[in-house]
Amino acid sequence: MNYFPDEVIEHVFDFVTSNKDRNTISLVCKSWYRIEKFSRQRVFIGNCYAISPERLIGRFPGVKSLTLKGKPHFADFNLVPHDWGGFVYPWIEALARSRVNLEELRMKRMVVTDDALELISRAFVNFKTLVLVSCEGFTTDGLAAIAANCRFLRELDLQENEVEDHRGQWLNCFPESCTSLVSLNFACLKGDINLAALERLVARSPNLKSLKLSRAVPLDTLQKILVRAPQLVDLGVGSFVHDPESETYSKLLTAIEKCKSMRSLSGFLEVAAYCLPAIYPICSSLTSLNLSYAPGIPGSELTKLIRQCRKLQRLWILDCIGDKGLGVVASSCKDLQELRVFPSDPYGVGNAAVTEEGLVAISKGCPKLNSLLYFCQQMTNAALQTVAQNCPNFIRFRLCILDPTKPDSSTDQPLDEGFGAIVQSCKGLRRLSLSGLLTDQVFSFIGKFAEQLEMLSIAFAGNSDKGMLYVLTGCKKIRKLEIRDCPFGNIALLTDVGKYETMRSLWMSSCDVTLGGCKTLAKKMPRLNVEIINENEEMEECIDDRQKVEKMYLYRTLVGPRKDAPEHVWTL
Amino acid sequence: MGRASAKDYSPSSSSSSSSPSLVDSSKHKNHPQNHPQTSLSFASSVCRNSSCNSGCSSSTRRGRIRRGDLNTDLRLGLSIVSPDAQKDNWIDLSVSKQREQRQDWPPIKSLLRTTLAVAGKADTNVNNVHNNNSDRRRASLFVKVYMEGVPIGRKLDLLALHNYDDLISTLAHMFATSIICPAGDRADHAKSLHVLTYEDREGDWMMVGDVPWEMFMTTVKRLKITRADRC
């Protein structure tokens, strides 16, 4: 079998980058297992409680790049208590103790403390990349530690985190010798920024390609930064308000025109529409535009801007663009692959921001569309059927009707047929979110046709246990199932308990599963953690098996029940 | 997130292992959204009829009212929860008196939610003047207008206007004179008697019309119609 020395085989394995493939390689023989084990550098852990840090280190001692995910997805929408878990410190501690040469750490929905950040900065000398998405628990002091101690830092990317801003001088903490920055994103910070320190940092970072500023960075600083960094590819604008007649503004125009490499724009956290023409010169080369955090741009201005972005592949906007605006997108952005339309007025009633018309227009004009997140006032089966026909390449299809139980707005029928058409036509669909009035029928379609489906989000849908059963039996590749406010109960939960070991996790909240049902499941499946979350004090007094559980989260795990759960989270 | 919403999600003492079919919420007649007051009677009547024939024990006397004690709901001033617990739960909460902003629907990230909430409240964000969604929330922007030689001034709501032309014609009407706008056609200069000026945030008096309308709106404090020969 081994005609080649280990080094040669290892070199061959270097070309195999997908973890799935590498897992397969390890199964071939003991020798390959061993070689692969020591040469594996990138590890992805989709649920930090499925495995322990010790076992990770034992399995892949050479790990250099680690991705960790903590809280369940619905934590993004305030359905999970803040102290549920997902603490990264134990991981850092274990990795540091074992002298793992960690270079990259990417975390999503984890609790990251300043202590953890400090430990990272001191324990891993070659640390290069820190990416935090939707995390919490740290302050700018932790960032200061990273800045000060990570001598070879290349990426510091903070996406939508909750950071306590101590208005410290964390930017000042980057030493003068730090010149390796490639990507810096601090858009989610709320406090003041030392602008001079920022300018100096940019000036000494010749490799800087991605920079996303917070709201505290004004336009004149932006202008100075762009003069220093015309090589930027990805820019997140902080504040964009200034007198268009001023010298600063005209200097900005000049600076922007020199940014020939700019491909991606985002931010505009504070914006005056009359300043937008400054970015027109770079619109024609933009491939990605994210204006979802810029409610200050009226629909008419959005349209004017997007009309010029003919190469756009990714567009994230607010629904104030309107159906007409989406029509402009459809006629201008022929290369569009990903579209996200967020609600600008989440609690508004009857502001017909975008409807099925906009979506149909997009589907007609943008045949390459494969990823969608669409918040709308209403939808029809006919529209969904048209979309399914026009865009059979959807990988991700997430529709959210602001009134979640709204039927087809023209026929008053459930939207089963429409979603049925989507799953039938889009054979590569991996992620789906449903909304609107839906019966068990839609789940029958999903179970039958959505063969590649890996993640499904359901809210306020279905009539009976049959709905959930269709999905569990039909979708062979389902990994994450999250359900809220649906009439699915113990029968659905307990019919095929083995299924859950083939999945990463199942979330059910405000459904009909009872405590007794969950206990039964936990008993039958020792390699699942079945967690019950109860924020209601009443539950303490009458623990009745017949009681419905508020929130249940179960996931497969190799390390048994976790020890860091707060009081109101029980592992059965 | 207010505790009120947590209360609504509390499991009740009633339960059943099978899920009865739900009333189709497309039948609008008894839809709780339309009849918040009658939903209580709706709840009790449906309880007696529909789901209780699935063999519920006496402990399910309150039937499908599984979201907490009904009496408690009333005391807390929350909307009544009907048997269609899942769907109507959302509906009731959305029509509750306080119009309490739910933190878990629509499903958007907290950061976006707070960004939009702040933007909605910001009435000094003048860029929303032409935005359909905010017109309803906008109050007004009244500024004083004086004409030279006339001691008594007028007040004008700038937010009711859309551009400089609007402003000029409204003022011309108010003061029965023709006003020149510097950004306008220079040929009219000879015909007009007056010029429009404004005091900006810094206390300086400037000619109206040089800057974009939206920008003008952010800096104007008051207006003055002066004689053309004075400028």
Side-chain angles (χ1 to χ4, degrees), chain B residues 95-108:
Chain B
V95 300
S96 72
K97 290 224 171 63
Q98 309 104 313
R99 242 316 191 143
E100 203 49 56
Q101 310 291 40
R102 294 194 59 166
Q103 297 301 307
D104 62 343
W105 192 270
I108 54 177

Side-chain angles (χ1 to χ4, degrees), chain A residues 65-77:
Chain A
S65 165
L66 179 62
T67 304
L68 277 173
K69 292 191 182 179
K71 296 186 191 172
H73 175 234
F74 274 174
D76 281 352
F77 317 130

Side-chain angles (χ1 to χ4, degrees), chain A residues 78 347 349 510 536 546 548, chain B residues 9-11 15 99 102 113:
Chain A
N78 298 313
Y347 307 107
V349 188
S510 305
N536 177 21
R546 285 169 303 175
K548 296 203 170 108
Chain B
Y9 286 101
S10 66
S15 69
R99 242 316 191 143
R102 294 194 59 166
R113 200 180 292 276

Side-chain angles (χ1 to χ4, degrees), chain A residues 391-409:
Chain A
C391 296
N393 298 320
F394 275 116
I395 300 173
R396 281 171 233 107
F397 189 89
R398 296 196 276 163
L399 190 75
C400 181
I401 304 174
L402 292 173
D403 174 350
T405 56
K406 196 167 185 187
D408 178 323
S409 55

Side-chain angles (χ1 to χ4, degrees), chain A residues 448-515:
Chain A
K448 196 167 169 199
F449 296 114
E451 288 171 10
Q452 302 299 320
L453 196 64
E454 294 178 8
M455 182 168 178
L456 179 62
S457 309
I458 312 171
F460 304 98
N463 308 117
S464 73
D465 287 316
K466 279 201 277 183
M468 185 167 160
L469 284 171
Y470 285 135
V471 174
L472 290 175
T473 48
C475 299
K476 301 291 178 217
K477 293 200 177 172
I478 194 96
R479 290 190 298 116
K480 289 182 276 186
L481 183 55
E482 43 186 30
I483 305 172
R484 60 166 291 186
D485 295 89
C486 295
F488 303 144
N490 292 339
I491 291 180
L493 183 69
L494 298 172
T495 296
D496 180 8
V497 292
K499 175 77 177 175
Y500 304 123
E501 276 193 6
T502 68
M503 291 167 54
R504 184 188 296 176
S505 65
L506 168 68
W507 168 280
M508 290 181 77
S509 61
S510 305
C511 296
D512 289 353
V513 291
T514 68
L515 186 56

Side-chain angles (χ1 to χ4, degrees), chain A residues 222-386:
Chain A
L222 174 65
Q223 179 264 315
K224 291 183 203 155
I225 286 173
L226 290 179
V227 166
R228 300 281 197 183
Q231 78 282 3
L232 280 177
V233 172
D234 179 14
L235 175 67
V237 174
S239 175
F240 206 66
V241 184
H242 218 273
D243 178 358
E245 304 291 313
S246 64
E247 201 188 320
T248 303
Y249 190 80
S250 57
K251 278 201 236 172
L252 176 71
L253 290 175
T254 319
I256 287 182
E257 262 167 37
K258 296 217 171 79
C259 296
K260 301 278 184 211
S261 308
M262 196 75 78
R263 295 286 171 272
S264 169
L265 262 187
S266 60
F268 295 92
L269 309 174
E270 186 180 54
V271 58
Y274 50 80
C275 290
L276 284 176
I279 59 170
Y280 289 172
I282 46 172
C283 284
S284 54
S285 41
L286 285 182
T287 56
S288 168
L289 183 60
N290 179 359
L291 297 174
S292 58
Y293 280 93
I297 306 180
S300 51
E301 290 298 325
L302 280 177
T303 316
K304 259 200 261 175
L305 188 62
I306 292 169
R307 216 186 274 277
Q308 306 181 50
C309 303
R310 308 196 78 85
K311 293 217 181 114
L312 224 49
Q313 292 171 16
R314 191 164 85 137
L315 177 62
W316 293 21
I317 35 165
L318 291 171
D319 63 4
C320 44
I321 195 176
D323 284 330
K324 287 222 176 67
L326 288 177
V328 172
V329 174
S331 55
S332 314
C333 310
K334 294 304 183 188
D335 287 338
L336 198 66
Q337 293 175 27
E338 178 179 334
L339 175 67
R340 295 197 189 189
V341 182
F342 295 93
S344 57
D345 188 10
Y347 307 107
V349 188
N351 293 346
V354 294
T355 69
E356 75 276 9
E357 281 180 32
L359 186 58
V360 169
I362 292 280
S363 75
K364 285 198 179 123
C366 310
K368 294 187 192 172
L369 197 65
N370 60 41
S371 176
L372 179 76
L373 173 58
Y374 196 73
F375 286 83
C376 56
Q377 290 294 333
Q378 62 188 47
M379 188 49 60
T380 65
N381 283 311
L384 286 173
Q385 281 157 342
T386 307

